[in-house]
Amino acid sequence: MLARLGARLRGVAEAAPWTNVYGLARTVLACCTLTTLLASETSTLFRPAQGIPGYPYCDGAPYSLFCVVPLETAHALAIVILLVAASGWRPRYTALPHWWVAVSFQASATIPDGGDQVAAVLSLLILPIALSDGRTWHWQRPAGQVNPVISLVAWSASLVIRVQVAGIYLQASMAKLGKEEWADGTALYYWFGDPQFGIPGWASGVLQPVLASPVGVTLLTWGTVAVEFALFLGLVARRAARPYLLVSGLALHASIAILMGLGSFALAMSASLILYLRPLDQPFAWRAGGLPAARRAVSRLVTGLHRPMTARNGAARSLGKGDVAGEEA
């Protein structure tokens, strides 16, 4: 048995976890916080509230980016950091700033939601994978030999992430059954009728007849619980079953985003599902002209911005020496 366990560990250590699977999850995770910051002004995200002595909240989070830097500057800086992290450039160097922004926003915003909390936790748990990723872009294929010790550390982080995500869905499904409205199958009738989180007007014509039907609303309510519990079972599901669970989970959160307006939460949970149900050693096969082309475009942009700066610096040094030829260059 020990020999089989050792052979299994060697097989895991020789497989590189640094693929575009975790890269896509990092991008989606960064977009969770990024979209919130882009779509909201600081006066909306950081405002007075009962029980909060000041804003942004810094009493329990003196390390927060929004506490150590002036608020408007921190808002702009956070957007830049998340844009770079979402692009996939140098994950080894952008992982820590990404986590700092995510945990700072979750700690200092007046009313963070569940998606912000998930983003803060996942951006922390993903650090062992990202910090050991020496690629220029997290969309690239792994290159060179794999260090077995570093690989095992990264795979261990992946396992911790999977256990964490499984726990989220177990708690979500079991907690619902403790509520009378979920147990009797009527919860979504009340949620979709809520003036703040209810269904939008364009969807009411389709969903109202379903919600008015005892069978329809029961199937919707219990179906949500069943999908969440099935996602928990993804922790022990065979690889062949995981793609179906992944599609089901993504569809669930997409419907929540569309019908209830919880977009950032859907992005955070979509990133979680990718890390949870898509094996890291099974990279996505992008179509030609897709993300690789986008990565090349970003690379050309960075190079184009770098060259004029290098030229200006070279000209300045030459002018300092009185070299006219250097000025013309």
Side-chain angles (χ1 to χ4, degrees):
M1 184 178 71
L2 291 177
R4 289 198 299 270
L5 179 60
R8 180 67 181 272
L9 288 176
R10 284 194 298 271
V12 171
E14 292 172 357
W18 306 285
T19 63
N20 58 17
V21 176
Y22 113 91
L24 177 61
R26 280 192 73 234
T27 293
V28 177
L29 194 63
C31 288
C32 165
T33 312
L34 177 63
T35 52
T36 301
L37 293 174
L38 286 174
S40 308
E41 298 180 354
T42 54
S43 58
T44 301
L45 300 172
F46 308 96
R47 57 188 303 127
Q50 185 176 4
I52 299 178
Y55 66 96
Y57 182 70
C58 298
D59 287 356
Y63 55 81
S64 171
L65 170 64
F66 301 98
C67 297
V68 300
V69 178
L71 192 54
E72 292 295 337
T73 304
H75 185 265
L77 181 59
I79 289 174
V80 171
I81 291 173
L82 292 172
L83 281 171
V84 176
S87 73
W89 182 76
R90 297 291 184 185
R92 175 175 291 175
Y93 305 126
T94 58
L96 275 173
H98 174 194
W99 167 73
W100 187 32
V101 171
V103 74
S104 296
F105 182 76
Q106 186 271 330
S108 296
T110 300
I111 310 178
D113 66 11
D116 301 321
Q117 296 170 346
V118 170
V121 172
L122 275 188
S123 59
L124 173 64
L125 295 180
I126 208 172
L127 283 179
I129 307 175
L131 292 176
S132 58
D133 187 355
R135 296 174 297 170
T136 304
W137 300 90
H138 66 205
W139 310 111
Q140 294 173 324
R141 295 179 180 178
Q145 293 183 341
V146 177
N147 184 308
V149 176
I150 295 177
S151 180
L152 279 177
V153 171
W155 279 111
S156 299
S158 172
L159 177 60
V160 172
I161 291 172
R162 297 195 70 233
V163 172
Q164 173 68 68
V165 177
I168 291 175
Y169 284 106
L170 176 63
Q171 194 276 337
S173 58
M174 292 296 98
K176 286 181 175 62
L177 295 179
K179 303 295 183 180
E180 180 181 354
E181 295 81 5
W182 284 98
D184 64 19
T186 61
L188 288 187
Y189 176 85
Y190 302 108
W191 273 109
F192 285 157
D194 185 88
Q196 183 174 0
F197 294 104
I199 56 176
W202 59 266
S204 60
V206 177
L207 287 179
Q208 283 298 345
V210 178
L211 296 174
S213 166
V215 175
V217 73
T218 301
L219 288 176
L220 282 178
T221 303
W222 287 354
T224 301
V225 178
V227 170
E228 290 177 338
F229 188 76
L231 290 173
F232 157 68
L233 295 178
L235 183 64
V236 294
R238 294 180 178 272
R239 285 197 175 198
R242 293 185 196 176
Y244 301 102
L245 292 173
L246 177 59
V247 171
S248 299
L250 293 176
L252 172 66
H253 290 293
S255 64
I256 292 174
I258 294 171
L259 297 178
M260 304 181 72
L262 301 177
S264 62
F265 174 74
L267 287 173
M269 295 312 302
S270 296
S272 304
L273 286 170
I274 293 171
L275 291 169
Y276 178 50
L277 295 172
R278 179 75 181 195
L280 299 185
D281 57 353
Q282 291 183 3
F284 294 106
W286 307 119
R287 293 183 178 181
L291 282 173
R295 175 176 55 80
R296 290 193 296 270
V298 174
S299 179
R300 287 195 296 269
L301 176 61
V302 172
T303 303
L305 293 173
H306 176 69
R307 284 176 178 171
M309 184 177 297
T310 304
R312 287 194 298 269
N313 292 340
R317 287 193 296 269
S318 299
L319 282 172
K321 297 178 182 178
D323 188 349
V324 177
E327 180 184 1
E328 294 176 353

